[in-house]
Amino acid sequence: SADRDLKEALSLAPNNVNSLMNFGTLLWKMGQKDSARQTFNHVLELDKNNRQALSALGYLARDAGDNKLAESYFQRAIAAHPKDYVSYLALGDLYTAERNFGSAEKNYQSAYQLMPTNPLIISGAANAALESHNLNLAQQWLQRANAKMNTNAQVQRERERYLFFKGDYAESAKLGESVLTKLPSDREGIVYLAYDLYYLGRFDEALALVNKYEPILKNDKD
């Protein structure tokens, strides 16, 4: 197994950073987050500016609800690797969750300058703009998406939401149906499609959608 092979590799070279990163990532995927965290911290003992370890520890901290610690890891990664977009994107998402939209926008802009073809930057920034009720800014971000990026489910979902807020329920519904084929359990895609159908007067379809997803989103206020 991969676990056995990695352990064997580590026994032969216990301070091999690449092997440690692979082992930590495997532990993380297996749900052993404490062990993964210890492994990534060991990587930092060997290589204090290791980008992957800093990023992984940032995401683990955020998963644990410690946003301040997560922020510090992402900022350390940026200080050590200012030309890498990943930590800027991570900070954008973190600040959006905290509803610190000004800081989120700043970091999405930095990420976009470094990697303008990444659809997650577009979707994250558009989401932040929509959450702050800035439709013009959301439109600006969505206009940056090229044809390939527009096929991305997350970008489509944010465009669905943007069209909904604009009142273009028919076009929003078309995108919502596409989103659900790609992300069948996505809360935003489901909710906005249901509202689209409702405002279009397609009540039977809206009711069918709500009945289908109510068991999944039984605690969702919408």
Side-chain angles (χ1 to χ4, degrees):
S1 69
D3 185 18
R4 183 177 61 249
D5 292 342
L6 281 170
K7 285 181 178 178
E8 182 178 349
L10 284 172
S11 69
L12 297 173
N15 291 327
N16 183 285
V17 168
N18 289 333
S19 295
L20 283 166
M21 281 303 309
N22 288 334
F23 188 54
T25 301
L26 178 62
L27 291 169
W28 190 359
K29 290 181 178 179
M30 294 171 61
Q32 299 179 36
K33 294 182 180 181
D34 287 339
S35 296
R37 191 176 294 107
Q38 292 173 11
T39 303
F40 294 137
N41 275 316
H42 183 40
V43 170
L44 291 185
E45 292 172 1
L46 301 169
D47 177 9
K48 67 178 182 179
N49 291 326
N50 186 281
R51 181 188 61 79
Q52 292 177 307
L54 288 169
S55 179
L57 285 165
Y59 281 111
L60 281 167
R62 184 181 172 187
D63 287 347
D66 193 339
N67 284 357
K68 286 299 180 185
L69 181 60
E71 180 183 33
S72 70
Y73 279 122
F74 293 138
Q75 288 178 339
R76 283 175 61 185
I78 288 171
H81 308 278
K83 299 299 183 183
D84 184 81
Y85 77 93
V86 173
S87 294
Y88 292 106
L89 173 58
L91 277 179
D93 293 343
L94 179 68
Y95 290 137
T96 299
E98 293 181 336
R99 305 194 72 76
N100 182 355
F101 299 118
S103 295
E105 168 68 12
K106 179 180 177 181
N107 279 278
Y108 287 130
Q109 288 284 4
S110 296
Y112 179 77
Q113 293 302 317
L114 295 167
M115 185 59 67
T117 58
N118 188 307
L120 296 183
I121 297 171
I122 299 296
S123 62
N127 170 58
L130 291 171
E131 288 295 315
S132 64
H133 307 292
N134 191 334
L135 289 186
N136 289 333
L137 182 58
Q139 180 185 37
Q140 291 172 25
W141 277 106
L142 292 169
Q143 287 175 337
R144 292 174 174 178
N146 59 31
K148 182 178 180 180
M149 294 159 76
N150 278 325
T151 65
N152 177 270
Q154 284 85 358
V155 173
Q156 288 186 336
R157 180 188 59 207
E158 301 314 319
R159 193 179 299 280
E160 171 195 3
R161 295 175 65 209
Y162 166 72
L163 291 169
F164 170 83
F165 285 119
K166 278 193 67 182
D168 194 344
Y169 305 123
E171 288 301 312
S172 179
K174 289 179 184 178
L175 275 174
E177 290 166 357
S178 175
V179 169
L180 284 195
T181 62
K182 299 174 181 178
L183 301 172
S185 299
D186 183 81
R187 183 261 174 197
E188 302 284 0
I190 295 163
V191 166
Y192 282 91
L193 176 55
Y195 274 124
D196 285 329
L197 296 172
Y198 176 79
Y199 287 126
L200 288 168
R202 294 159 59 180
F203 302 126
D204 290 343
E205 294 172 74
L207 181 59
L209 189 69
V210 170
N211 286 336
K212 178 179 178 180
Y213 284 101
E214 188 176 17
I216 298 174
L217 300 174
K218 56 186 177 182
N219 296 320
D220 187 275
K221 60 181 174 53
D222 285 301

